[in-house]
Amino acid sequence: RRCHHRSVAMLDVPFPPFCAFLGTLGLLCVAMVGTWCQHWRGGFSLDGSSRTFNWHPVLMVTGLVVLYGAAALVYRIPSTWSSPKLPWKVLHGGLALGAFILSVLGLAAVFCFHNSQGTPNMYSLHSWMGLATVLLFSFQWAAGFGAFLLPWAPTWLRALYKPIHVFFGSAILMLSVASCVSGINEKLFFSLKNGTTAYKLLPPEAVFANILGLLILLFGVLVVGALARPSWKRPDSDSPGSRQ
């Protein structure tokens, strides 16, 4: 039993270094998707060409994965546990709103590209899953705003909705990760064919983008794991700050 407790203590990583590692991983994902689009896909523009499309993966990874993951972990910061909840609620909602705005801009970029090129919209599983994720995200944000930030929401409603909000928060993040990974794979299939080294021959671009997909998946899994870890959850309190 003593050995078991010692093993558990060794695995109990403090949140701050974990958060620093996760932040570094998130920034690496954003840097890599930007590098991929700049170096291999021709850069960025707003002219309706493929360079307009390149905004889509950058904005989606930045908003729907990294920024959304940061919003989900706000309440896991130990320094927030002894302070009033309201400022952290505002930060949580603000980060989530920023993630939503970036994801909408990312959708606008891909629709603009498709329409200017005469390409049909919403024909692939990736597009269905991505749009469903953004719509679900919008409902989640609106419901959370109404239940937790507006002053007239009754306490019983907040208590009833809180576990639903937490569940869908993790579910939306994993849907975001799945959408991004499937989108990377779809883009490689479409791009690495005629006139280029085939995807099946694993050229450097494919290796780079596949690694990016794995890092995005790792980021999502670590965020969901942090949300599920009991020792990192904000403790319930009867203080006025928790009851507001």
Side-chain angles (χ1 to χ4, degrees):
R1 184 179 304 173
R2 192 178 302 116
C3 180
H4 171 73
H5 289 319
R6 189 179 299 115
S7 301
V8 172
M10 291 175 62
L11 294 174
D12 193 13
V13 180
F15 182 78
F18 173 85
C19 188
F21 170 77
L22 198 60
T24 302
L25 180 60
L27 292 175
L28 179 60
C29 290
V30 173
M32 286 186 67
V33 70
T35 301
W36 177 36
C37 293
Q38 179 66 44
H39 181 70
W40 278 288
R41 298 289 100 216
F44 305 90
S45 76
L46 298 175
D47 57 4
S49 66
S50 59
R51 293 184 297 167
T52 299
F53 172 86
N54 289 341
W55 287 107
H56 175 68
V58 172
L59 291 172
M60 287 305 193
V61 171
T62 304
L64 214 52
V65 176
V66 177
L67 198 57
Y68 184 80
L73 291 177
V74 163
Y75 293 122
R76 299 304 187 268
I77 302 174
S79 59
T80 69
W81 296 352
S82 58
S83 59
K85 254 189 175 181
L86 184 58
W88 302 104
K89 286 183 181 181
V90 173
L91 178 61
H92 173 75
L95 289 174
L97 180 61
F100 176 71
I101 292 172
L102 291 182
S103 64
V104 169
L105 292 175
L107 288 179
V110 71
F111 280 119
C112 178
F113 167 70
H114 282 175
N115 294 336
S116 66
Q117 301 296 315
T119 303
N121 292 305
M122 302 303 300
Y123 62 88
S124 68
L125 176 61
H126 162 69
S127 60
W128 293 1
M129 187 161 44
L131 184 60
T133 302
V134 175
L135 291 175
L136 189 59
F137 185 10
S138 65
F139 293 137
Q140 167 88 343
W141 191 91
F145 179 81
F148 300 118
L149 277 175
L150 295 182
W152 53 76
T155 304
W156 65 265
L157 177 63
R158 297 181 183 184
L160 179 67
Y161 178 63
K162 182 178 178 181
I164 300 174
H165 185 76
V166 172
F167 168 78
F168 275 102
S170 297
I172 291 169
L173 178 62
M174 294 315 297
L175 283 172
S176 302
V177 169
S179 299
C180 289
V181 171
S182 64
I184 291 170
N185 196 243
E186 183 179 284
K187 183 62 177 177
L188 291 175
F189 272 120
F190 285 161
S191 302
L192 300 180
K193 48 182 183 179
N194 299 332
T196 64
T197 304
Y199 185 24
K200 65 182 179 181
L201 299 178
L202 207 63
E205 179 182 355
V207 174
F208 187 89
N210 285 346
I211 293 173
L212 168 62
L214 289 176
L215 293 179
I216 291 172
L217 179 60
L218 176 62
F219 180 88
V221 169
L222 290 178
V223 172
V224 172
L227 293 175
R229 192 179 183 93
S231 62
W232 288 349
K233 290 183 179 180
R234 180 186 175 108
D236 291 329
S237 173
D238 293 326
S239 66
S242 338
R243 290 198 306 265
Q244 63 186 338

